[in-house]
């Protein structure tokens, strides 16, 4: 199996101490509906194959340990300041699976060598890096996360728990459901009125990339420090898994880590 090489954020490539990227599905061991590098264990795919995909992804990223979360479209943020905070929940390459999974939709750490992984198939993964404090975060933000402003909450956590300054934070927004495909027929029930400004005038299509950009901006992240990959998962099922395109599908991974 060829080592998958992740799509990276151009503006983060200038930091040599950082590992980051979004792994497309183009390599990997999964077959059929899950074809490629499916890292999602609760998708219906063979768990042993998913574990091999995870190990392949980690070794391709040059990592020997990573944190995969139990993502529930909530607002819990896992703060990992010491090995003990993630004890039992860390994946170690080819080794045994962890004994527990932390339930959270974002993780923040200053530990070197620990990959933070977010698994998505239309939702956004938003990676954050503060080069001054050497702190990273990875956020799962689907439409529920956007409504709950998990991005803003995560920046608040970086500020209060790690002393980060928003103006120094860099942000990257993964491929996800783009404005071309983010149709919300029931938006009047699901999306608060304050966010209707992101809807197309004549159709219930929303620009969640802009919502994230504005949520970052509202906390003080500079516009020039934000990069959106701008790839729509539903339009590009050759590269990514999309729940909107295929109900039975895998999850692709966005990862960020501080080098040891
Ligand atoms: Zn699209």
């Amino acid at each position: 199996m060829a080592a998958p090489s992740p799509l990276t954020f151009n503006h983060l490539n200038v930091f040599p101490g950082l590992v980051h990227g979004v792994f497309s599905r183009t390599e990997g061991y999964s077959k059929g509906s899950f074809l490629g590098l499916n890292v999602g264990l609760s998708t219906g795919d063979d768990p042993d194959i998913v574990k091999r995909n995870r190990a392949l992804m980690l070794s391709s990223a040059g990592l020997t340990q990573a944190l995969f979360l139990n993502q529930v479209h909530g607002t819990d943020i896992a703060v990992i300041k010491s090995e003990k905070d993630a004890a039992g929940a860390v994946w170690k390459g080819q080794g045994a699976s962890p004994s527990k999974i932390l339930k959270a939709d974002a993780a923040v750490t200053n530990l070197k060598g620990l990959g933070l992984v977010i698994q998505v198939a239309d939702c956004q993964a938003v990676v954050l890096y503060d080069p001054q404090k050497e702190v990273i975060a990875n956020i799962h933000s689907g439409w529920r996360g956007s409504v709950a402003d998990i991005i803003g909450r995560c920046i608040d956590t970086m500020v209060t728990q790690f002393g980060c300054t928003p103006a120094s934070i860099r942000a990257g927004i993964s491929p996800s459901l783009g404005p071309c495909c983010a149709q919300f027929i029931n938006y009047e029930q699901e999306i608060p009125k304050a966010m209707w400004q992101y809807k197309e005038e004549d159709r219930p299509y929303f620009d969640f990339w802009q919502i994230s950009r504005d949520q970052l901006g509202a906390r003080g992240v500079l516009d020039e420090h934000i990069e959106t990959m701008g790839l729509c998962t539903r339009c590009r099922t050759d590269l990514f898994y999309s729940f909107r395109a295929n109900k039975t599908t895998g999850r692709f991974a966005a990862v960020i880590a501080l080098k040891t």
Side-chain angles (χ1 to χ4, degrees):
M1 183 63 61
S5 80
L7 305 164
T8 58
F9 294 100
N10 294 323
H11 76 322
L12 296 182
N13 288 339
V14 300
F15 299 105
L18 199 61
V19 174
H20 69 97
V22 174
F23 284 84
S24 75
R25 66 189 294 186
T26 53
E27 302 293 338
Y29 297 103
S30 293
K31 306 279 184 231
S33 305
F34 307 103
L35 186 69
L37 195 71
N38 172 29
V39 298
L41 271 174
S42 43
T43 52
D45 197 357
D46 180 337
D48 288 331
I49 293 179
V50 173
K51 288 172 190 172
R52 287 176 72 200
N53 286 335
R54 287 184 174 192
L56 177 65
M57 183 194 79
L58 292 187
S59 65
S60 302
L63 296 170
T64 55
Q65 48 176 5
L67 191 64
F68 290 78
L69 302 172
N70 175 16
Q71 304 167 190
V72 296
H73 300 278
T75 55
D76 286 351
I77 297 167
V79 175
I80 313 296
K81 289 184 170 178
S82 71
E83 304 271 338
K84 155 167 117 334
D85 293 328
V90 175
W91 276 77
K92 303 208 171 166
Q94 309 276 4
S97 299
S99 56
K100 65 173 182 183
I101 310 173
L102 301 179
K103 181 168 78 70
D105 283 271
V108 187
T109 193
N110 58 358
L111 295 187
K112 299 207 183 327
L114 176 64
L116 304 180
V117 182
I118 292 293
Q119 309 161 63
V120 281
D122 286 342
C123 294
Q124 296 172 35
V126 181
V127 298
L128 303 176
Y129 174 50
D130 177 354
Q132 276 182 354
K133 294 285 179 182
E134 287 285 293
V135 172
I136 53 168
N138 205 345
I139 308 168
H140 169 234
S141 186
W143 70 266
R144 288 181 186 83
S146 295
V147 168
D149 192 13
I150 188 167
I151 289 175
R153 289 166 190 255
C154 192
I155 302 241
D156 290 347
T157 301
M158 290 173 79
V159 170
T160 57
Q161 297 281 325
F162 295 91
C164 296
T165 309
S168 81
I169 293 174
R170 270 65 173 176
I173 300 171
S174 79
S176 69
L177 199 62
C180 43
C181 293
Q183 182 188 28
F184 284 76
I185 296 166
N186 301 317
Y187 73 92
E188 291 186 5
Q189 286 79 50
E190 293 171 342
I191 298 176
K193 224 169 199 168
M195 293 172 91
W196 293 4
Q197 58 176 302
Y198 298 97
K199 186 180 85 63
E200 273 185 33
E201 204 166 321
D202 304 324
R203 302 189 307 162
Y205 285 69
F206 285 76
D207 187 346
F208 283 94
W209 293 338
Q210 190 60 47
I211 291 174
S212 293
R213 196 172 259 279
D214 288 352
Q215 287 177 334
L216 290 161
R219 286 304 199 283
V221 179
L222 306 175
D223 203 53
E224 62 264 34
H225 288 171
I226 305 169
E227 184 176 331
T228 306
M229 279 191 176
L231 289 162
C232 171
T233 42
R234 187 168 180 265
C235 289
R236 295 302 305 271
T237 50
D238 57 324
L239 291 174
F240 307 108
Y241 299 105
S242 169
F243 186 71
R244 286 273 184 129
N246 308 102
K247 290 286 172 261
T248 302
T249 194
R251 299 289 180 274
F252 63 94
V255 60
I256 186 163
L258 298 165
K259 281 186 187 164
T260 47

